[in-house]
Amino acid sequence: MFWRGVWGYLPANIIQGLVGFGAILVFTRLLSPDDFGRYALAISITTLVHVGTFSWLEASMARFWAAERNQGLADHFTTVYRTMAVMTAAVLPIAGLLLWLSPIDEGLKLAIGAGLVGLPIRALTKLAQERYQAAGEVSKSVAMDIGVTLGGFLIGATCALMGAGAASPLIGLAVAPLLALPFVLSGELRQARGGVHYRDRLVGYARYGYPIAAGLGLSLIMASTDRFLLEIFMGSAAVGAYHAGYSLSSRTLDVLFIWLGAAGTPALIMAWERGSREAFMTAAREQASTFILIGLPAAVGVALVARPLADFMIGEDLRSVAASVTPWIALSALLSGMTAYYLGQAFVLGRRTDRLLLTLGIPAASNVILNLILVPPLGVMGAALATTTSFAIGLLASIALGRSVVVMPIPGTALSRCALACGVMAGTVVLLPAYGGVAELALKAGVGAVVYAAAALTLNAAGVRDLALRLIAARTGRSMTA
């Protein structure tokens, strides 16, 4: 199931990556540094509202589908969607009123308003996508993901060209899923037909989902505290520069981990629910090795090409500062991805999301303290250092606390061999000439990828050579049979 999902979700994640980079390329040029900073603040605020309102339902849709599908799912769907309607009616009017009364500038207020309007729309599409992924309906999930991602980017860019300012990307994020709903919502609601909204079921979902939502909220605090403090001490333009560098590096790693996690999480749940302990450990070790094999060189590679990548991707007013923080944010994204999409699964599998909340609270508190200490004297670089240190603390907390719930194996051999392959890649890339811009980026990225692949195959890092030989043998066998 894991590898079927990995290959099946690849097209959607390629599009996610291209659109993510395209958004940086376009919006850092079409928006002023101040508007780009306002957009960064608005997306942080509206994402926090989304997490507090809907994320627990999205998590419950995915986790309880596998456990309850043999018992009939009408009650499950009824409970989720009726609660979704109640949360929308209760929370969004209050959020809108608070926004209207808030003493912030009109550009930021408009951007937050656009984000709030889009929240229930995005939540409905996310519920459908979570169900697709849990059910292994890869093609449906991929089609919706690609359509919403491309549509949101194109609509947002059009709004920016028309002068909508900081609200432009958030308008795209609201309109694109709205256009997708007629194609997905009726089919999902049909599955609730004849279902009953049970209070005890909802309580169970809340006990499971709210700690996850709170944990996501703490993760967002870790990812956004720096922006709010930069706004206070340095202004919106500094927020824009930092967000550009943060997005440039974290987006690369986020896409990879979201891709692998979309395939990995359902596979781990199935292995845990249905298989033996040995089968689960084998599946978990395989996933961890794959995450390291792909994620570690991606982080090192982004750090190695930080300057030419920023020259190519980011507008001139923002690129210098953005390039300086990119290596640190690449490391923090690697630590965050391994924690969220692998080590943190111990608490999901064991249904001990209360402990997940604790493991996220530790680095979140550390992040706030470190930002308060480092941002005033060091500015943007202080924010980057605080973020990286906090995610390292979070990874260690997940290892320490997760072992008492579900032991997630750490493949030391795969880690050491992948690290050695990355060292060979880095040693080669730093010797290459620095042309600047696209030429340097293409040279270093291309050579780095080839060198890492050769080193990984030679070392058989994460069993990649064994996998390649199996694929070749399978293909050769099919050809001979044909």
Side-chain angles (χ1 to χ4, degrees):
M1 183 176 181
F2 172 57
W3 285 107
R4 181 167 65 88
V6 166
W7 298 119
Y9 289 115
L10 181 59
N13 283 275
I14 291 174
I15 296 298
Q16 284 275 2
L18 292 175
V19 168
F21 284 123
I24 298 169
L25 186 70
V26 169
F27 292 123
T28 58
R29 287 167 169 81
L30 293 181
L31 303 179
S32 68
D34 284 333
D35 271 344
F36 195 77
R38 293 185 186 101
Y39 154 65
L41 292 172
I43 196 69
S44 296
I45 291 168
T46 55
T47 303
L48 281 169
V49 176
H50 181 105
V51 165
T53 308
F54 301 120
S55 288
W56 68 282
L57 285 171
E58 296 162 2
S60 297
M61 172 64 84
R63 181 64 181 89
F64 288 93
W65 187 93
E68 299 184 13
R69 67 175 185 166
N70 294 327
Q71 305 170 19
L73 290 167
D75 295 342
H76 175 59
F77 279 84
T78 297
T79 302
V80 168
Y81 279 101
R82 285 190 181 178
T83 306
M84 161 82 189
V86 171
M87 295 295 289
T88 300
V91 173
L92 290 190
I94 297 173
L97 178 62
L98 292 174
L99 176 63
W100 180 59
L101 295 174
S102 63
I104 58 178
D105 69 73
E106 290 301 316
L108 179 57
K109 189 175 290 189
L110 180 61
I112 296 172
L116 291 176
V117 169
L119 288 186
I121 303 169
R122 291 200 300 276
L124 286 170
T125 56
K126 181 65 174 175
L127 283 173
Q129 192 168 13
E130 290 287 352
R131 202 275 298 171
Y132 293 156
Q133 291 178 1
E137 297 179 10
V138 176
S139 59
K140 288 184 179 181
S141 177
V142 167
M144 186 170 70
D145 198 308
I146 291 175
V148 170
T149 300
L150 285 174
F153 170 65
L154 294 174
I155 294 167
T158 301
C159 291
L161 285 170
M162 296 173 63
S168 301
L170 292 140
I171 294 172
L173 292 176
V175 174
L178 179 63
L179 297 176
L181 281 183
F183 301 98
V184 298
L185 188 58
S186 60
E188 295 302 294
L189 293 180
R190 274 199 300 271
Q191 301 198 52
R193 188 172 298 162
V196 178
H197 181 101
Y198 286 109
R199 182 179 177 183
D200 58 345
R201 181 187 293 269
L202 181 60
V203 170
Y205 291 179
R207 286 176 177 170
Y208 169 80
Y210 260 118
I212 291 179
L216 289 172
L218 290 172
S219 297
L220 286 168
I221 290 171
M222 290 177 63
S224 57
T225 298
D226 40 22
R227 291 161 177 78
F228 292 112
L229 290 176
L230 285 171
E231 169 71 17
I232 293 170
F233 290 109
M234 302 184 69
S236 296
V239 177
Y242 179 76
H243 184 70
Y246 195 104
S247 299
L248 186 64
S249 50
S250 69
R251 186 61 178 167
T252 304
L253 276 297
D254 287 348
V255 167
L256 290 176
F257 280 112
I258 290 171
W259 164 44
L260 296 172
T265 299
L268 280 182
I269 291 174
M270 287 292 187
W272 180 259
E273 293 285 347
R274 298 182 176 185
S276 64
R277 174 177 171 77
E278 291 74 17
F280 167 75
M281 293 296 284
T282 299
R285 191 173 291 107
E286 179 184 40
Q287 288 194 27
S289 299
T290 304
F291 284 12
I292 294 168
L293 177 70
I294 298 174
L296 184 59
V300 174
V302 169
L304 290 170
V305 299
R307 184 70 222 193
L309 184 61
D311 289 343
F312 173 59
M313 295 296 302
I314 297 176
E316 187 174 356
D317 294 337
L318 302 172
R319 67 178 55 145
S320 179
V321 174
S324 68
V325 302
T326 292
W328 290 104
I329 302 304
L331 175 57
S332 72
L334 174 65
L335 298 172
S336 172
M338 289 301 301
T339 302
Y341 292 99
Y342 180 67
L343 295 171
Q345 296 303 311
F347 308 104
V348 173
L349 296 170
R351 301 191 186 186
R352 290 304 308 269
T353 49
D354 54 334
R355 295 193 184 184
L356 174 62
L357 182 60
L358 177 60
T359 64
L360 291 169
I362 294 170
S366 302
N367 184 256
V368 173
I369 294 170
L370 289 170
N371 270 287
L372 287 170
I373 294 171
L374 296 176
V375 167
L378 299 178
V380 171
M381 185 55 68
L385 293 172
T387 296
T388 304
T389 304
S390 299
F391 279 119
I393 292 171
L395 183 140
L396 295 175
S398 290
I399 293 174
L401 296 175
R403 297 187 68 83
S404 63
V405 181
V406 175
V407 176
M408 303 296 290
I410 300 174
T413 301
L415 178 59
S416 60
R417 291 183 181 182
C418 291
L420 180 56
C422 285
V424 174
M425 174 182 70
T428 304
V429 170
V430 297
L431 297 175
L432 298 175
Y435 300 117
V438 178
E440 181 183 351
L441 176 61
L443 175 66
K444 290 185 174 180
V447 171
V450 171
V451 170
Y452 176 77
L457 285 168
T458 301
L459 295 167
N460 196 25
V464 67
R465 187 175 66 218
D466 296 338
L467 175 61
L469 291 175
R470 288 199 302 270
L471 292 174
I472 292 171
R475 182 172 294 276
T476 303
R478 285 197 299 269
S479 299
M480 293 177 63
T481 303

